[in-house]
Amino acid sequence: WTVPIDVVKTRMQTDSDLRGSDLVRATTTIVRNDGPQTLFAGLGSTLIGYAIQGSFKYGFYEVFKPIAAQDLAGIAPNQALFP
């Protein structure tokens, strides 16, 4: 999964011409040489993965929230782990 900052970081680590450059200089060099679309090459799959992860995370949260609330019903409010 890649986002633009990961593309620049990886290229700074692997491209000898970019090694030792700062983030802005490396980004401008990549955009100038390969075009701006290079920074967004893997963004689609990243966003799909984030959407799937988020749907599971919040879906399971809604399922387990009543179970956790029931378990915490006997605990005083100042001792609760979460609201």
Side-chain angles (χ1 to χ4, degrees):
W1 296 7
T2 59
V3 292
I5 192 78
D6 289 330
V7 172
V8 175
K9 176 192 64 118
T10 303
R11 293 282 294 271
M12 287 173 68
Q13 293 172 341
T14 59
D15 190 344
S16 60
D17 294 334
L18 297 176
R19 194 166 290 150
S21 296
D22 62 5
L23 185 66
V24 174
R25 183 167 296 161
T27 303
T28 55
T29 302
I30 292 169
V31 169
R32 186 176 346 108
N33 293 342
D34 300 327
Q37 70 276 8
T38 303
L39 299 177
F40 302 101
L43 193 58
S45 60
T46 299
L47 293 177
I48 291 170
Y50 286 164
I52 293 170
Q53 175 190 6
S55 64
F56 277 111
K57 185 186 300 181
Y58 293 114
F60 283 125
Y61 172 76
E62 289 299 322
V63 169
F64 289 110
K65 185 170 58 172
I67 297 168
Q70 194 175 40
D71 286 345
L72 293 173
I75 297 176
N78 60 350
Q79 295 175 330
L81 300 175
F82 56 89

